[in-house]
Amino acid sequence: MGRPDMAYFGFTNEYFNGEPIKIFNNGDFEHDLYRGFTYVDDIVEGIVSLLDNPPTDEVSSKVFNIGNNNPEKLIVFIETLEKALSKSLDREVVFDKVFEPIKPGDVPATYASTDLLQAAVGFKPETSIEEGLQKFADWYVDYYKVK
């Protein structure tokens, strides 16, 4: 499953509803936006690792970023989702894309710094975007019984 407010879920819903997806990069893939995507199993594993290894120093609590520190180009993410859905459905999936201006306040790249997490418990999320999106696509197609 996944969060319905996230891009991969929204894009998939729009595809099956016959709607175009909105891409906020002006269609400029040379200077594309970069985003970090973290698979939910990696988040769970990070939390469990931290719970199993509480801090032993003077500070009784710390803040850890459990996210992916390997950002992907937005178009790579979209193409990877199309491929994952194509494989799950056993037919080609190509989103109808509408390119719009970047939203005010948007940043060129977002991703996590996992240095503290790695130092504390030796863990960093490793699920590739291909693997994570394929698991999502397989789940979505099965759960919603779409063809």
Side-chain angles (χ1 to χ4, degrees):
M1 196 172 168
R3 284 180 38 198
D5 62 320
M6 300 302 287
Y8 61 90
F9 211 122
F11 288 172
T12 302
N13 284 338
E14 288 162 347
Y15 172 77
F16 285 107
N17 290 331
E19 301 169 5
I21 65 168
K22 293 179 182 175
I23 303 171
F24 298 98
N25 71 351
N26 288 315
D28 182 1
F29 297 111
E30 184 176 331
H31 302 97
D32 203 358
L33 302 176
Y34 286 81
R35 296 292 180 259
F37 298 95
T38 309
Y39 189 65
V40 67
D41 288 358
D42 285 339
I43 300 296
V44 172
E45 187 174 344
I47 291 170
V48 169
S49 294
L50 288 165
L51 290 172
D52 289 344
N53 298 287
T56 57
D57 53 7
E58 293 177 14
V59 179
S60 62
S61 62
K62 293 182 181 178
V63 175
F64 295 94
N65 196 338
I66 307 175
N68 192 315
N69 66 347
N70 184 25
E72 300 284 349
K73 280 187 166 189
L74 184 56
I75 192 61
V76 169
F77 157 73
I78 293 167
E79 290 170 348
T80 303
L81 181 56
E82 288 173 329
K83 288 176 188 171
L85 286 167
S86 295
K87 184 175 179 185
S88 295
L89 293 165
D90 198 29
R91 64 177 168 84
E92 186 178 24
V93 170
V94 178
F95 296 137
D96 180 15
K97 301 168 186 76
V98 174
F99 300 102
E100 297 193 359
I102 295 172
K103 290 185 174 186
D106 208 348
V107 295
T110 63
Y111 56 96
S113 171
T114 58
D115 294 345
L116 291 176
L117 179 65
Q118 287 177 276
V121 294
F123 175 77
K124 90 174 205 180
E126 300 271 343
T127 303
S128 70
I129 192 168
E130 294 84 5
E131 180 184 353
L133 287 176
Q134 190 61 63
K135 286 180 179 182
F136 166 75
D138 291 344
W139 168 83
Y140 188 102
V141 167
D142 181 62
Y143 185 82
Y144 289 105
K145 308 291 185 229
V146 291
K147 292 290 177 194

